[in-house]
Amino acid sequence: MRLDQRIATSSELSRKDARRAVISGRVSVNGTRCKSASTHVRERDQVVLDDRLLMLPGDLYLMMNKPAGVISATTDSSQPTALDLLPADLARHVHIAGRLDKDTTGLLLLTSDGQWSHQVTSPRRDCAKTYRVTLAEPLPDEACVMLEHGVQLHGEDKPTQPAQVLVHSETTIELTIREGRYHQVKRMLAAVGNHVEALHRLSIGAITLDDTLAPGQYRALTADEISAIREPG
Ligand code: URA
């Protein structure tokens, strides 16, 4: 859609006033000032008018590259949370769909749509989550096979469901799981006698972390990414 149209859709400005705002230099797209009202913007582009991030009407769907050191809670007075990395008027409307540990980095989904986040987190949806796991020790073949078949976690009744392991190097693997048990990846590796040194979430279902996002940055999800979670399977 054209930039002036996008501004009119997501602010109180008329199309004519939106055009004037652009020409007078009040608007930036993805951090760069833009003075052409006919510029084509995509849904995921961040349009800022006078320091105000303009959101399209309707529910909000974001991905963030979560940095280490922030917790995945809505509010916490003592520790920084992922929501503190968003502008306040955005943070007010969204919650986290699928938490990560404080030291885990990578793909975090945030939304205002409770039904959609339920699709991400519901055990009945079996949404696949892929992690890059850096290990303390090389992973023997037998341990890989055990992870793939399912391992018994300390203090739990049932073994984990089958997982996929892709070996990148002696101490780096990609692990795909379809459950979301407490500290699951770290406990799975502990169950095979190893230790997770670093954990980074690469994808959830068909949504892959945008590699142009630096730690702490976020962007709106595209319509395709939003509907990929809605579609069954
Ligand atoms: N598994 C973990 O152990 N930690 C995370 O943050 C995510 C999955």
Side-chain angles (χ1 to χ4, degrees), residues 99-105 131 177 179-188 196 199 201:
R99 295 172 172 219
L100 291 174
D101 296 338
K102 186 174 177 183
D103 57 353
T104 302
T105 56
Y131 296 86
I177 57 173
E179 304 167 280
R181 302 194 206 180
Y182 183 64
H183 294 326
Q184 179 157 347
V185 175
K186 291 174 185 164
R187 289 166 72 212
M188 284 175 76
V196 173
L199 191 56
R201 183 153 65 192

Side-chain angles (χ1 to χ4, degrees), residues 71-191:
I71 59 167
S72 298
T74 306
T75 49
D76 190 294
S77 51
S78 57
Q79 304 191 68
T81 83
L83 291 183
D84 293 333
L85 300 170
L86 301 177
D89 58 349
L90 197 52
R92 200 175 307 129
H93 298 291
V94 296
H95 58 270
I96 292 164
R99 295 172 172 219
L100 291 174
D101 296 338
K102 186 174 177 183
D103 57 353
T104 302
T105 56
L107 179 63
L108 195 64
L109 298 177
L110 304 111
T111 181
S112 60
D113 181 344
Q115 283 191 349
W116 188 84
S117 58
H118 183 69
Q119 303 286 306
V120 175
T121 55
S122 164
R124 294 170 66 201
R125 278 300 309 273
D126 282 356
C127 198
K129 287 150 289 237
T130 299
Y131 296 86
R132 188 178 62 229
V133 190
T134 310
L135 298 164
E137 309 288 340
L139 194 69
D141 291 346
E142 313 82 71
C144 259
V145 173
M146 285 168 73
L147 292 172
E148 285 177 337
H149 285 175
V151 289
Q152 190 63 49
L153 298 184
H154 186 68
E156 299 220 3
D157 298 339
K158 289 188 187 158
T160 55
Q161 287 173 19
Q164 277 86 50
V165 180
L166 206 66
V167 176
H168 282 301
S169 73
E170 270 201 331
T171 53
T172 314
I173 60 167
E174 232 175 82
L175 178 67
T176 300
I177 57 173
R178 292 177 171 273
E179 304 167 280
R181 302 194 206 180
Y182 183 64
H183 294 326
Q184 179 157 347
V185 175
K186 291 174 185 164
R187 289 166 72 212
M188 284 175 76
L189 272 303

